[in-house]
Amino acid sequence: MTNSAEQPHEIFIVKLAPGTSAQDLLAWFEKPEGPPPAMPLGGATFLDRGEANYLTMDFTPGEYGFYCF
């Protein structure tokens, strides 16, 4: 991952629970009641413009979400 934007960015990677969507997770972040609809897998903290970070991950079949807060 290389940040080519003007502002700092980060990445948060999750595997969504079956039958859920990225919107379900965003709604859960706003009102965290019950178990989260996703399993956190990792990511990278703030990267300034031009900075790079290398991640190696194994993804099993499923739906994933990638977020920058």
Side-chain angles (χ1 to χ4, degrees):
M1 305 179 314
T2 301
N3 182 8
S4 59
E6 294 294 324
Q7 70 275 12
H9 280 286
E10 62 188 4
I11 186 168
F12 175 60
I13 304 167
V14 298
K15 183 172 185 181
L16 297 168
T20 64
S21 69
Q23 291 298 334
D24 295 328
L25 182 58
L26 292 175
W28 185 86
F29 282 140
E30 290 182 18
K31 191 174 183 182
E33 293 179 351
M39 174 65 68
L41 299 178
T45 58
F46 289 102
L47 297 172
D48 283 324
R49 180 183 173 100
E51 289 187 317
N53 193 338
Y54 297 90
L55 295 172
T56 301
M57 302 181 82
D58 292 320
F59 292 96
T60 58
E63 298 288 324
Y64 292 83
F66 296 77
Y67 301 91
C68 176
F69 294 104

